[in-house]
Amino acid sequence: RHPNPSVGVMRVVEETRSLSDELGLTGRHVFFNEEWVPYEQRADWLLEADVGVTTHRLHVESRFAFRTRVLDYLWAGLPILCTAGDALADTVEASRLGITVSPGDPGAVASALRRLADPGLRAEISGRVAEHARSLTWSRTAAPLLAFCAAPSHAPDRRAGGVEVPVPVAATAPPPVARADRLLRRVGQELAEGGAGAVARAALRWMRRRGARIAGRTGTP
């Protein structure tokens, strides 16, 4: 069930339950979570799993999605079974982090799960997953952003006659790297204490304060 009581049960959930009951799998081989797993408990579930699975339909949203659940699989060192066609699936294929299947192909999913039932194959893939996961730490992924904040510049199409024009930084403002580091720490703290919702609420409060300051300077009602 969705945490929001006003969100109804999805049709695919009812169909899945019916099929599982019909095949005599419910409670023996297939187990349904009646509630969403609390954020602070998700690591327990991931570390007890053998394979991380995520499938989706072919859609423009799917092509440009960057699925955080797949990042969780990488963190836990899980072999990944996913639908092909997005950026992370491309990485899974290129770095051999698991198996990708075509959208809407249940036979391919079943075949991939049978292959991943082999403990030796899972261990081999998990080693590559753990190695790749180290390239996605905050210190590495945030490095380009921190480097830009330390020496910001205009985009090429905003440069005067093709000449680099440094972006002025107020002398009284904290150094860009310090501000970025402080922002990352704040996001991490909000995420740890209240999850993604807390981060969103903190961002909304910041935007409201920022908007009020700008309105005060410009005289906008």
Side-chain angles (χ1 to χ4, degrees), residues 160-174:
V163 178
E164 180 71 23
V165 180
V167 177
V169 178
T172 57

Side-chain angles (χ1 to χ4, degrees), residues 79-136:
I80 298 167
L81 168 55
C82 65
T83 309
D86 61 46
L88 282 171
D90 293 345
T91 299
V92 170
E93 291 179 355
S95 300
R96 298 184 299 145
L97 307 179
I99 300 174
T100 62
V101 297
S102 299
D105 190 344
V109 173
S111 177
L113 285 173
R114 282 194 292 268
R115 287 180 58 194
L116 292 169
D118 177 359
L121 178 60
R122 291 203 309 273
E124 176 188 333
I125 295 174
S126 292
R128 291 194 290 268
V129 169
E131 179 65 27
H132 182 75
R134 284 193 280 272
S135 70
L136 298 176

Side-chain angles (χ1 to χ4, degrees), residues 18-189:
S18 296
L19 180 59
S20 179
D21 292 343
E22 179 185 332
L23 297 175
L25 301 175
T26 305
R28 297 176 61 238
H29 302 291
V30 176
F31 303 88
F32 295 95
N33 289 341
E34 298 302 329
E35 306 287 344
W36 283 20
V37 175
Y39 181 83
E40 63 274 11
Q41 296 178 17
R42 82 191 200 289
D44 299 333
W45 290 74
L46 290 164
L47 294 174
E48 286 293 326
D50 294 312
V51 179
V53 181
T54 176
T55 59
H56 52 76
R57 300 182 187 277
L58 185 62
H59 189 271
V60 65
E61 184 273 337
S62 302
R63 182 67 189 95
F64 293 101
F66 197 81
R67 302 182 189 283
T68 53
R69 75 195 71 170
V70 177
L71 297 180
D72 281 345
Y73 299 161
L74 294 172
W75 172 84
L78 294 176
I80 298 167
L81 168 55
C82 65
T83 309
D86 61 46
L88 282 171
D90 293 345
T91 299
V92 170
E93 291 179 355
S95 300
R96 298 184 299 145
L97 307 179
I99 300 174
T100 62
V101 297
S102 299
D105 190 344
V109 173
S111 177
L113 285 173
R114 282 194 292 268
R115 287 180 58 194
L116 292 169
D118 177 359
L121 178 60
R122 291 203 309 273
E124 176 188 333
I125 295 174
S126 292
R128 291 194 290 268
V129 169
E131 179 65 27
H132 182 75
R134 284 193 280 272
S135 70
L136 298 176
T137 59
W138 275 116
S139 59
R140 293 193 180 188
T141 57
L145 175 60
L146 294 175
F148 175 81
C149 292
S153 62
H154 291 292
D157 61 344
R158 295 291 303 276
R159 296 171 184 169
V163 178
E164 180 71 23
V165 180
V167 177
V169 178
T172 57
V177 173
R179 293 202 304 272
D181 186 59
R182 186 174 60 192
L183 176 61
L184 287 175
R185 287 200 304 272
R186 176 67 184 278
V187 170
Q189 180 182 355

